[in-house]
Amino acid sequence: MSENILSVRDLHMSFYTSAGEVKAVNGVSFDVKRGEVLGIVGESGSGKSATMLSIMGLQGSNGKIKSGSIFFNDKDIHTFNMNEIRGKSISMIFQDPMTSLNPVLTVGYQLEESLKRHKWHGDIRARALEMLERVGIVPAAERIKQYPHEFSGGQRQRIMIAMSMICKPDLLIADEPTTALDVTVQAQILKLMKDLKNEYKMSIILITHDLGVIAGQADRVLIMYGGKIMEQGTRREIFYNTAHPYTKGLLRSVPDPESPKKRLISIEGQPPNLLNPPKGCPYVKRCPQAMKICLDHNPKAYAISESHVYSCWLSERSEN
């Protein structure tokens, strides 16, 4: 068995809408190693969530994987019955805990549903109570009978974490798990996820637009833009040996606690319209270092090290 629990190769996925084909994912390739946290960063519409929905087989009736391959535990994911592995081997925490829980069912029923579907060996109610206690919802015996509206936003997110990890999956996909939570609750949720990851020896894909979260949680980082991966590397490589102009732009636009007087510089312009994506580099219209070749030709991937790769025509200039 390889060291990778997940391998995605040249993935292309589109959504078909009344306005036309939205080319949401355009040639994405990456690996997730066993036991690591892979952070995926990018602005809204960069293809982060669309990539994860493709992995889960949840792209919907208007979404279609056009080409590429996804291997989970060294097997083509399309050979699996996704209903059997979703929630058991691969699980996902969705972005909004306020709408992800069914308001007319108790949290106990919703926690136990996954255990029943995947034929959990053992006492189902005991496992549900154990997970509620593990995520800090106490007294579990009383709260398991309650409905989602009886919990705060942070507590609902804890319940979502309990639901996603209740069957001890090998891979957890967390899509903006701390959105709309205050800073204190956000820190508690991230620590809880890290503790459970270590306890269950799982891998995590952490999707976020918050580079601060990535800096504290991820082992490796992917930077996505316009449905493509702009740069990928270890956390240290991304933050201290930044290569791609887009990554540099993101870092210039976020506060640095060590430099409180640092001037923040936003990235001007808007992400590309993926109904009609650019012929060349998707970042070309916002890039201060864009060249003529960037308009018509996709940049080649350039390896700075075995783990650090970026796609930019500037790599050609740096080699000369």
Side-chain angles (χ1 to χ4, degrees):
M1 189 174 285
S2 74
E3 67 172 352
N4 297 325
I5 192 169
L6 182 76
S7 293
V8 177
R9 292 290 177 270
D10 198 25
L11 182 67
H12 291 257
M13 193 276 275
S14 292
F15 291 107
Y16 293 88
T17 71
S18 58
E21 179 186 355
V22 179
K23 297 174 181 177
V25 182
N26 299 295
V28 165
S29 299
F30 65 92
D31 297 313
V32 181
K33 300 182 186 304
R34 298 180 189 279
E36 80 167 346
V37 177
L38 176 71
I40 303 184
V41 187
E43 294 171 86
S44 297
S46 62
K48 308 183 301 297
S49 296
T51 302
M52 296 307 111
L53 291 174
S54 299
I55 292 168
M56 295 290 289
L58 295 174
Q59 64 269 24
S61 58
N62 66 333
K64 181 182 179 182
I65 296 175
K66 299 178 70 178
S67 62
S69 60
I70 303 169
F71 284 84
F72 177 68
N73 278 331
D74 299 329
K75 295 180 182 178
D76 187 338
I77 205 165
H78 298 113
T79 64
F80 291 100
N81 179 339
M82 292 304 294
N83 289 327
E84 291 181 1
I85 69 169
R86 274 196 297 258
K88 182 180 181 182
S89 301
I90 307 176
S91 197
M92 188 165 181
I93 302 173
F94 293 95
Q95 190 167 349
D96 187 359
M98 299 298 185
T99 58
S100 297
L101 293 168
N102 191 323
V104 301
L105 299 175
T106 66
V107 297
Y109 182 95
Q110 295 180 68
L111 282 166
E112 293 170 7
E113 187 177 23
S114 182
L115 295 170
K116 292 173 182 175
R117 183 188 307 124
H118 297 298
K119 298 180 173 59
W120 177 264
H121 297 293
D123 189 322
I124 288 176
R125 175 49 63 104
R127 174 63 179 162
L129 288 168
E130 176 192 350
M131 280 307 299
L132 274 186
E133 291 177 351
R134 189 69 188 80
V135 300
I137 304 295
V138 291
E142 295 178 18
R143 306 223 69 183
I144 200 168
K145 303 171 188 175
Q146 294 180 320
Y147 292 85
H149 73 271
E150 299 178 82
F151 295 86
S152 68
Q155 288 173 327
R156 292 189 213 186
Q157 192 63 292
R158 289 172 182 270
I159 293 166
M160 289 299 300
I161 292 171
M163 288 176 65
S164 66
M165 295 190 180
I166 200 163
C167 290
K168 300 183 179 180
D170 298 317
L171 174 64
L172 174 68
I173 299 171
D175 189 356
E176 301 277 8
T178 57
T179 296
L181 301 178
D182 63 56
V183 175
T184 303
V185 176
Q186 180 186 85
Q188 293 170 355
I189 293 296
L190 291 171
K191 183 180 185 304
L192 172 61
M193 287 176 57
K194 197 166 193 175
D195 290 345
L196 288 170
K197 167 204 167 281
N198 293 333
E199 183 178 332
Y200 295 147
K201 297 179 174 59
M202 67 174 67
S203 304
I204 294 179
I205 298 176
L206 178 59
I207 304 169
T208 182
H209 62 273
D210 190 334
L211 283 164
V213 169
I214 290 296
Q217 301 294 319
D219 300 306
R220 288 191 307 117
V221 185
L222 303 185
I223 305 295
M224 288 192 69
Y225 184 83
K228 295 177 180 288
I229 294 174
M230 299 286 100
E231 185 170 359
Q232 59 180 299
T234 65
R235 176 177 56 191
R236 184 166 189 83
E237 286 168 338
I238 294 298
F239 281 90
Y240 296 104
N241 191 25
T242 316
H244 199 283
Y246 178 58
T247 313
K248 292 177 181 178
L250 288 178
L251 290 171
R252 284 194 296 266
S253 67
V254 296
D256 183 353
E258 296 180 3
S259 304
K261 295 184 179 180
K262 168 190 167 185
R263 179 170 173 256
L264 302 184
I265 304 172
S266 62
I267 301 175
E268 295 184 3
Q270 297 294 323
N273 180 358
L274 295 182
L275 278 165
N276 185 27
K279 286 172 60 180
C281 175
Y283 190 53
V284 62
K285 291 188 176 180
R286 304 173 77 187
C287 181
Q289 296 171 276
M291 302 176 287
K292 186 176 180 181
I293 193 173
C294 305
L295 286 167
D296 298 314
H297 300 279
N298 275 315
K300 299 175 183 177
Y302 176 75
I304 299 172
S305 69
E306 188 177 339
S307 57
H308 192 187
V309 179
Y310 75 110
S311 296
C312 182
W313 285 113
L314 290 172
S315 63
E316 300 282 308
R317 180 185 289 178
S318 64
E319 283 188 312
N320 295 330

